Amino acid sequence: MAEFWSRLSETVAYLSERGTLGVSVIGPDGSRWSHHGQRRFRAASTVKIAIMIEIFRQIDAGTLSLEDAYTLADEDRTGGSGVLMHMSTGAQINRADLLYLMISISDNHATNVLIRDAGIERINATMQDIGMSRSNLSRIMRGRPAQDDEQENFSASDDYVTAVQGILDGTVASATSCEAMTRLMEQQQNRRRL
């Protein structure tokens, strides 16, 4: 592992010459390495992992279902990535498809529907519960940074490596839900990012 950490450190040092980044990694043996792992950055789409975890926790509790239908509404359309903003008003899609779109192509419209379903307060409580103490969700996705009158969503890479490890270990939700979340993350269509 020492050689891997050394190469990783060199790569991060090289990339850091071009800007500030936070990187956190857990090795196969459980050892951890980070660079600015506790530093808070604007969350952008990384927060979608925490949203997914809370949705699956509510599915485990029986308050939500993957089969629940959503009818595409004009007032839910938002900027940024995704396909739902281009689909016809009135189209129906279930929560399983919303989760797929949020994770696989980072669809902001799907994300905002799921935020509304789960509740910002519940998502933040789950983040705290699973050890994401430096990250938060303060607003829905808009496809742009927060404006003067809006709070920003923040993330720390140490928090997100902990969350993903919790999914892989089956500790952030039921084993069945963690397996489903792992499958969703494996369907990410942009291979340059999670």
Side-chain angles (χ1 to χ4, degrees):
M1 281 307 299
E3 181 181 336
F4 172 78
W5 295 134
S6 177
R7 284 192 328 220
L8 178 60
S9 181
E10 290 171 12
T11 301
V12 169
Y14 172 75
L15 294 172
S16 292
E17 294 172 7
R18 290 158 180 76
T20 305
L21 66 148
V23 179
S24 298
V25 179
I26 299 176
D29 62 356
S31 60
R32 290 180 177 241
W33 183 93
S34 70
H35 172 82
H36 292 310
Q38 290 290 308
R39 184 173 177 157
R40 297 176 81 209
F41 295 88
R42 279 187 289 196
S45 290
T46 58
V47 75
K48 295 172 182 178
I49 295 170
I51 296 164
M52 175 180 66
I53 292 169
E54 175 53 24
I55 289 288
F56 273 98
R57 283 179 157 208
Q58 291 189 34
I59 290 167
D60 289 341
T63 56
L64 295 178
S65 166
L66 288 173
E67 303 311 316
D68 290 338
Y70 162 72
T71 302
L72 208 61
D74 284 334
E75 60 268 17
D76 292 332
R77 296 186 194 278
T78 189
S81 59
V83 296
L84 289 182
M85 69 177 134
H86 305 291
M87 292 178 63
S88 301
T89 300
Q92 286 210 330
I93 185 168
N94 67 20
R95 187 167 291 113
D97 292 333
L98 291 169
L99 283 160
Y100 169 77
L101 291 171
M102 178 178 73
I103 297 300
S104 71
I105 63 169
S106 199
D107 190 294
N108 283 347
H109 183 135
T111 303
N112 289 344
V113 172
L114 293 169
I115 289 171
R116 184 177 61 218
D117 289 350
I120 288 177
E121 299 79 16
R122 296 282 305 264
I123 294 165
N124 282 310
T126 285
M127 292 168 89
Q128 293 301 307
D129 183 54
I130 64 174
M132 300 178 70
S133 61
R134 299 196 49 80
S135 300
N136 68 283
L137 175 67
S138 295
R139 66 184 183 95
I140 62 171
M141 304 292 109
R142 300 260 190 229
R144 58 165 171 72
Q147 303 295 310
D148 292 338
D149 61 336
E150 298 172 325
Q151 293 182 322
E152 188 58 273
N153 302 324
F154 286 101
S155 66
S157 61
D158 279 357
D159 286 355
Y160 278 87
V161 77
T162 296
V164 171
Q165 186 67 57
I167 292 169
L168 296 174
D169 290 344
T171 60
V172 297
S174 71
T176 301
S177 287
C178 287
E179 289 170 10
M181 287 187 272
T182 300
R183 284 192 302 276
L184 280 171
M185 290 189 298
E186 289 172 343
Q187 295 174 20
Q188 169 59 249
Q189 294 185 19
N190 184 336
R191 291 302 187 191
R192 296 180 314 162
R193 66 180 184 199
L194 179 66

